[in-house]
Amino acid sequence: TQFNCEEDWRMSVPGGTSTGFHWPFKEKAFLMSCRLLSENFKSPSWTWSGEFSIDTLGEVALKVRQKFRRSEIFLIRVVVKIVDASIVVLFEQVDEFVPYRIDNETSHRIRFRQGISDESKNSFDYMMPRSSLPYSWDFPMGHKSLQIEFQQGSKWVTREYKLDALHDHSRVKLTRSLPNLSNPEFEGFLERRQGGVLEAAGKWA
């Protein structure tokens, strides 16, 4: 569909087929948005992708999400090319073409989202420790930076990274809190050192 015209006009293109296209609303921005077809056309189970342009030749990766399970995503590769003097927009399933991959090799849970000005449009995705997943922008024409937050106790430590700027970033130092000693489920040894001298040691439970 034409972007921001989802309720006024849309067209469907089944897999393996093609169809002609022209902009239905000349007064609206010439941007496109897409989503996967659902079995029940009146009750779609996938959300619309972020807007993208077909005025420039090349390719872009789109992300669509399950409407009721936001963490379930589907990546679509869009290729814009010229064939016999016509602009052709090709939609392909992403198999090997993955723009980015996020590896959480820490022992902390992290959350992340695209860093855009209107935060109400973009909630966080979460990753458990020692996990990885493919990534593409929710808003291909938006600000291309990734906001990552590291869980530090009950708070979150925020950093923002430009993924297309390849260089080393400063380290993020995280610490772990001592366990709650009033909890009878914990048992171990506790010691305190000052200047390398052991002042007190004992068993806590």
Side-chain angles (χ1 to χ4, degrees):
T1 185
Q2 189 170 353
F3 180 65
N4 272 343
C5 304
E6 295 87 354
E7 301 302 324
D8 302 319
W9 180 90
R10 68 193 73 169
M11 65 183 298
S12 60
V13 184
T17 67
S18 60
T19 186
F21 173 79
H22 66 276
W23 298 109
F25 302 100
K26 303 299 183 182
E27 70 279 8
K28 299 290 184 68
F30 288 171
L31 300 172
M32 189 175 285
S33 182
C34 74
R35 71 180 177 194
L36 298 179
L37 281 174
S38 305
E39 294 183 3
N40 185 349
F41 187 76
K42 294 183 179 180
S43 181
S45 58
W46 294 90
T47 61
W48 290 100
S49 72
E51 68 271 27
F52 62 98
S53 173
I54 60 173
D55 291 338
T56 304
L57 303 182
E59 59 185 50
V60 63
L62 300 180
K63 179 190 294 181
V64 293
R65 297 177 180 270
Q66 272 280 2
K67 189 174 183 178
F68 303 106
R69 295 191 302 273
R70 189 180 182 279
S71 60
E72 185 172 339
I73 64 173
F74 191 92
L75 300 184
I76 302 173
R77 180 190 185 195
V78 180
V79 181
V80 181
K81 58 185 179 180
I82 295 180
V83 178
D84 296 332
S86 296
I87 295 178
V88 175
V89 182
L90 178 65
F91 296 88
E92 298 177 333
Q93 180 176 345
V94 172
D95 291 320
E96 298 181 358
F97 172 78
V98 180
Y100 309 98
R101 190 185 72 188
I102 300 176
D103 296 323
N104 180 13
E105 297 183 353
T106 74
S107 59
H108 294 258
R109 190 167 69 131
I110 67 172
R111 65 184 186 184
F112 59 91
R113 64 182 177 183
Q114 184 173 352
I116 59 176
S117 57
D118 188 357
E119 295 185 354
S120 64
K121 290 184 177 181
N122 196 21
S123 56
F124 284 100
D125 290 307
Y126 290 80
M127 284 185 69
M128 299 303 292
R130 312 296 180 186
S131 61
S132 64
L133 54 78
Y135 180 78
S136 68
W137 304 112
D138 283 272
F139 306 95
M141 300 188 68
H143 182 58
K144 290 184 170 60
S145 68
L146 185 67
Q147 179 184 341
I148 300 180
E149 296 195 350
F150 304 86
Q151 190 171 20
Q152 177 67 85
S154 60
K155 299 181 180 180
W156 294 87
V157 179
T158 303
R159 295 291 187 273
E160 191 163 319
Y161 303 98
K162 294 183 178 180
L163 300 188
D164 294 332
L166 301 180
H167 59 83
D168 293 333
H169 297 276
S170 59
R171 293 186 176 185
V172 178
K173 185 177 181 180
L174 304 175
T175 59
R176 289 190 176 276
S177 304
L178 287 173
N180 183 2
L181 302 184
S182 64
N183 189 337
E185 296 182 357
F186 289 96
E187 181 177 348
F189 288 89
L190 182 67
E191 66 179 29
R192 183 179 64 184
R193 290 180 180 271
Q194 183 173 357
V197 179
L198 179 62
E199 289 189 344
K203 183 177 181 180
W204 53 267

